[in-house]
């Protein structure tokens, strides 16, 4: 997407850096229109077209769109890339203004966590596999910060990309279990022209690593064809997926699993794909050098349906 050029990006969009400021501005808008609908797009910044697509959908479906930019330390474990997570405030604000975000919430860590939190949100079940298994505590941090943001913004709808399908499942479970009056809107993964899923971490890939990372989307496309075979079992599909990714010499598999979605429970490996009535997710997490990428595809083999863009 094109980016507007200006020496003062903060002048193009309303930025709130404190909770009180954001609440006051939203309260003023709600006083003026009690039926106002608020759409919310929570992000960790370093915005790209994937984030922009969420903002555009929120703009279509709501009166006001709030974007949050906050790199949440609670969801990073020891040795993870909190300090090197990409940040570019001016670029983020330019994109937010271009897409038309009405309010941008950009709090500091001190503003969000003035003291060490004594309360956390733990969602069980859907957090126990995939990234939850390889990144202990990650989804506790996600649930805690998202619940805080929901309480601050009080949106009607919140928009999340399906590239992180487990995150969508976790947040949807949290909202349903706690009866939060919020509609979670999953949105399709946005990809580069060559198929690589957009990610803020893509910038860390060397040219060779980026070239080999295309094995992720290529494997998902191949899995879409494999699933059409009526006599293929879950275990056979999983084995083919592993072999496909392993064909890229630089790929180091964290996980490559076939699970029910959104429960993320493991189906019987001997079951035929054609006999499974529940949707499945093919979920991938693979490292190329120091950069860990995730991707996925959701499908319903019994109905021949593919629910995500690959």
């Amino acid at each position: 997407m094109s980016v507007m050029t200006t020496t003062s990006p903060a002048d193009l969009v309303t930025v709130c850096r404190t909770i009180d400021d954001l609440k006051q501005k939203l309260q003023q808008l709600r006083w003026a229109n009690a039926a106002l609908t608020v759409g919310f797009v929570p992000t960790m910044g370093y915005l790209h077209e994937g984030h922009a697509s969420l903002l555009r959908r929120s703009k279509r479906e709501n009166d006001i769109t709030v974007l949050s930019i906050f790199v949440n330390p609670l969801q990073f474990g020891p040795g993870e890339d909190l300090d090197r997570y990409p940040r570019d405030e001016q670029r983020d604000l330019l994109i937010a203004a271009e897409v038309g975000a009405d309010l941008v919430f950009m709090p500091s860590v001190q503003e969000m966590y003035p003291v060490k939190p004594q309360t956390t949100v733990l969602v069980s079940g859907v957090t126990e596999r995939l990234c939850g298994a390889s990144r202990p505590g990650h989804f506790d941090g996600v649930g805690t910060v998202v619940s805080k943001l929901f309480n601050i913004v009080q949106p009607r709808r919140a928009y999340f990309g399906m590239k992180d399908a487990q995150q969508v499942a976790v947040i949807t479970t949290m909202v349903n279990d706690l009866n939060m009056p919020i509609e979670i809107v999953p949105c399709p993964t946005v990809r580069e022209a060559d198929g690589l899923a957009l990610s803020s971490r893509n910038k860390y890939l060397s040219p060779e690593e980026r070239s080999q990372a295309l094995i992720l989307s290529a494997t998902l496309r191949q899995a879409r064809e494999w699933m059409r075979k009526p006599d293929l079992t879950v275990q056979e599909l999983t084995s083919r997926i592993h072999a496909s990714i392993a064909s890229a010499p630089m790929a180091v598999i964290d996980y490559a699993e076939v699970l029910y979605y959104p429960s993320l429970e493991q189906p019987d490996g001997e079951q035929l794909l054609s006999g499974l009535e529940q949707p499945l997710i093919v979920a991938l997490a693979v490292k190329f050098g120091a950069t860990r990428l995730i991707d996925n595809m959701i499908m319903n083999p019994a109905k021949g349906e593919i629910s995500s863009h690959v």
Side-chain angles (χ1 to χ4, degrees), residues 234-253:
V234 172
Q235 183 54 54
E236 288 168 340
L237 175 61
T238 304
S239 296
R240 291 186 182 195
I241 289 167
H242 274 259
S244 175
I245 296 171
S247 69
M250 301 180 76
V252 178
I253 297 174

Side-chain angles (χ1 to χ4, degrees), residues 65-87:
T65 290
V66 178
L67 164 71
S68 70
I69 297 174
F70 178 62
V71 181
N72 174 37
L74 294 191
Q75 65 195 71
F76 288 82
E80 292 189 339
D81 57 354
L82 173 60
D83 291 337
R84 66 189 289 265
Y85 193 87
R87 296 163 172 86

Side-chain angles (χ1 to χ4, degrees), residues 4 24 72-73 76 83 89 106 128 138 160 167 173-174 208 211 219 225 238-239 257 259 263 275 280 283 306:
M4 298 167 60
Q24 288 174 9
N72 174 37
F76 288 82
D83 291 337
E89 179 176 308
M106 301 182 70
E128 293 166 8
H138 169 71
F160 294 87
Q167 176 175 267
T173 299
M174 178 185 75
E208 179 61 21
S211 175
T219 297
E225 299 307 313
T238 304
S239 296
E257 296 193 41
L259 303 172
S263 70
L280 297 173
I306 304 294

Side-chain angles (χ1 to χ4, degrees), residues 7-294:
T7 57
S8 302
D11 295 338
L12 301 175
V13 65
T14 300
V15 178
C16 302
R17 297 190 183 272
T18 68
I19 294 169
D20 284 346
D21 186 25
L22 178 64
K23 283 184 171 181
Q24 288 174 9
K25 286 185 169 59
L26 285 170
Q27 191 174 51
Q28 290 168 1
L29 291 167
R30 287 174 168 129
W31 277 342
N33 178 6
L36 188 81
T37 59
V38 175
F40 180 41
V41 179
T43 78
M44 293 207 301
Y46 209 74
L47 302 183
H48 50 62
E49 177 58 29
H51 302 110
S53 70
L54 305 181
L55 290 165
R56 283 193 287 267
R57 180 159 178 184
S58 177
K59 291 287 291 183
R60 292 195 302 269
E61 298 178 354
N62 303 279
D63 300 315
I64 295 292
T65 290
V66 178
L67 164 71
S68 70
I69 297 174
F70 178 62
V71 181
N72 174 37
L74 294 191
Q75 65 195 71
F76 288 82
E80 292 189 339
D81 57 354
L82 173 60
D83 291 337
R84 66 189 289 265
Y85 193 87
R87 296 163 172 86
D88 190 335
E89 179 176 308
Q90 290 208 350
R91 182 177 178 276
D92 286 349
L93 291 176
L94 289 171
I95 293 174
E98 184 177 66
V99 177
D102 297 287
L103 296 170
V104 180
F105 182 43
M106 301 182 70
S108 66
V109 173
Q110 179 66 22
E111 179 68 15
M112 289 295 286
Y113 305 115
V115 296
K116 182 179 179 180
Q118 301 299 303
T119 302
T120 57
V121 176
L122 187 156
V123 180
S124 61
V126 292
T127 62
E128 293 166 8
R129 294 186 179 278
L130 306 180
C131 291
S134 59
R135 302 179 69 190
H138 169 71
F139 285 114
D140 297 350
V142 171
T144 300
V145 76
V146 171
S147 64
K148 283 173 67 74
L149 290 167
F150 284 174
N151 284 328
I152 293 164
V153 178
Q154 297 183 19
R156 175 77 61 83
R157 302 178 184 91
Y159 297 80
F160 294 87
M162 281 298 292
K163 183 175 77 70
D164 194 340
Q166 185 173 19
Q167 176 175 267
V168 174
V170 169
I171 292 169
T172 301
T173 299
M174 178 185 75
V175 165
N176 291 340
D177 285 352
L178 299 182
N179 300 109
M180 294 180 176
I182 301 167
E183 177 187 353
I184 302 301
V185 183
C187 300
T189 298
V190 177
R191 299 180 179 276
E192 302 275 9
D194 58 8
L196 186 68
L198 287 177
S199 170
S200 301
R201 291 184 169 92
N202 289 351
K203 69 172 297 225
Y204 295 131
L205 297 168
S206 70
E208 179 61 21
E209 288 166 351
R210 194 195 180 288
S211 175
Q212 293 205 20
L214 296 179
I215 194 63
L216 300 183
S217 57
T219 297
L220 293 177
R221 287 194 299 272
Q222 187 63 60
R224 181 172 56 192
E225 299 307 313
W226 288 331
M227 75 163 229
R228 302 186 195 283
K229 298 180 180 295
D231 57 347
L232 196 67
T233 67
V234 172
Q235 183 54 54
E236 288 168 340
L237 175 61
T238 304
S239 296
R240 291 186 182 195
I241 289 167
H242 274 259
S244 175
I245 296 171
S247 69
M250 301 180 76
V252 178
I253 297 174
D254 181 352
Y255 61 73
E257 296 193 41
V258 179
L259 303 172
Y260 288 125
Y261 192 82
S263 70
L264 301 184
E265 295 174 348
Q266 192 164 33
D268 181 350
E270 298 305 313
Q271 285 189 277
L272 296 178
L273 291 173
S274 57
L276 299 176
E277 295 297 329
Q278 298 181 53
L280 297 173
I281 182 170
V282 176
L284 311 176
V286 181
K287 291 187 76 171
F288 297 88
T291 304
R292 181 180 182 274
L293 301 180
I294 60 173

